[in-house]
Amino acid sequence: MKLLAKDLQESREKLVLAREEERRQIRKNLHDDLAPRLAALALNVATAEKYVVKKPDIAIEMLGDLRKVIRATVDEIRTLVHDLRPPSLDELGLISAIEERISELNKPARLLADEQGIVPIHIHLHEPPLLPDLPAAVEVAAYRIVTESLVNVIKHSQATECTVKLHVSSLNQLVIEVTDNGTGLDPSYTLRLPGKGGIGLHSLRERAAELGGECSIEQVERGGTRVLAILPI
């Protein structure tokens, strides 16, 4: 019991540290990059205003430059927002957002397979029964676990089939399965200590653990790999 309590305390401390690190990074991005850029935009607009009447050609040139900077700034803000919560979750919902991501991944995978003369991978989502309203944190974790798993499959598995399944168990848990028919886990993976896998695999476990859930990556008997994540709702 003492060991379990100690492990639990250590896990909580790691989560707090990870959360604070994310907040620090967001603050840094806002303070060191976006804030000065927006201040510079305001200054440049004020300068352009002075040239509108006196030297309109210079004003037009400055406004053209401002347009480019504004577009770049908007892209950075979108990236920052996407890192916090993918916009597609709010726009489409979890299942449709996953379907959209699968569609996005299938296209380049087919093109790459055609270039290499190999059988392209086909990723499909088993249409789940109607899911209940999920907490925002569970939606984000589920989306990230699925998408990161799919990227790993495409990059490393040499699979031709990959299936994504989601359902809610009788214990009120969201169960996520991503299964492929590829080459399976690297033999060295089974020799690594828990939590010492690659960055992608470690990230999957962290996302589940943050919500009090769990995530495992295992070899499938018939060949391939299965990612199984269980998230409390």
Side-chain angles (χ1 to χ4, degrees):
M1 289 298 292
K2 289 182 178 179
L3 289 175
L4 288 174
K6 182 180 178 181
D7 288 343
L8 180 60
Q9 181 62 31
E10 289 179 352
S11 297
R12 287 173 176 170
E13 289 174 359
K14 288 179 181 178
L15 292 179
V16 170
L17 290 173
R19 188 181 300 116
E20 290 306 315
E21 178 61 24
E22 288 181 355
R23 289 176 178 173
R24 186 192 66 80
Q25 188 60 44
I26 292 170
R27 181 184 181 279
K28 183 176 183 297
N29 290 341
L30 291 172
H31 182 271
D32 295 348
D33 190 11
L34 289 180
R37 183 171 295 188
L38 293 174
L41 285 175
L43 180 61
N44 289 338
V45 168
T47 304
E49 286 177 341
K50 296 179 181 179
Y51 284 103
V52 169
V53 176
K54 297 179 181 179
K55 297 180 180 180
D57 291 343
I58 295 178
I60 291 172
E61 184 179 348
M62 291 185 68
L63 290 173
D65 292 338
L66 281 171
R67 187 184 302 112
K68 294 177 183 178
V69 175
I70 289 171
R71 285 175 178 171
T73 303
V74 169
D75 288 340
E76 287 195 17
I77 293 173
R78 284 175 176 166
T79 299
L80 183 62
V81 170
H82 187 276
D83 288 341
L84 295 174
R85 177 177 171 86
S88 57
L89 287 178
D90 292 324
E91 297 167 3
L92 304 172
L94 176 59
I95 298 303
S96 295
I98 290 175
E99 288 177 335
E100 181 184 65
R101 188 66 179 129
I102 288 175
S103 178
E104 291 172 354
L105 291 171
N106 269 326
K107 292 177 183 177
R110 282 196 296 267
L111 292 174
L112 182 62
D114 290 341
E115 288 182 3
Q116 297 177 345
I118 59 177
V119 178
I121 186 172
H122 176 62
I123 306 169
H124 56 280
L125 171 69
H126 270 233
E127 190 67 29
L130 186 63
L131 296 178
D133 289 336
L134 300 172
V138 173
E139 281 190 328
V140 172
Y143 180 81
R144 298 292 194 196
I145 288 171
V146 169
T147 55
E148 289 173 23
S149 298
L150 293 179
V151 170
N152 284 335
V153 170
I154 292 173
K155 289 173 65 176
H156 305 297
S157 75
Q158 301 177 32
T160 58
E161 292 287 334
C162 180
T163 302
V164 179
K165 297 180 182 179
L166 294 91
H167 73 273
V168 175
S169 72
S170 58
L171 299 176
N172 204 32
Q173 299 169 320
L174 180 64
V175 181
I176 305 161
E177 290 183 75
V178 180
T179 308
D180 68 72
N181 67 344
T183 55
L185 293 171
D186 187 294
S188 63
Y189 174 79
T190 57
L191 300 177
R192 293 171 183 162
L193 295 173
K196 298 297 183 181
I199 293 175
L201 301 180
H202 184 59
S203 174
L204 296 179
R205 294 194 186 92
E206 278 192 336
R207 292 191 186 282
E210 286 176 352
L211 300 177
E214 57 186 33
C215 181
S216 62
I217 302 96
E218 59 189 19
Q219 193 93 13
V220 179
E221 288 185 8
R222 62 181 181 277
T225 305
R226 182 178 73 155
V227 173
L228 175 64
I230 302 175
L231 307 178
I233 298 176

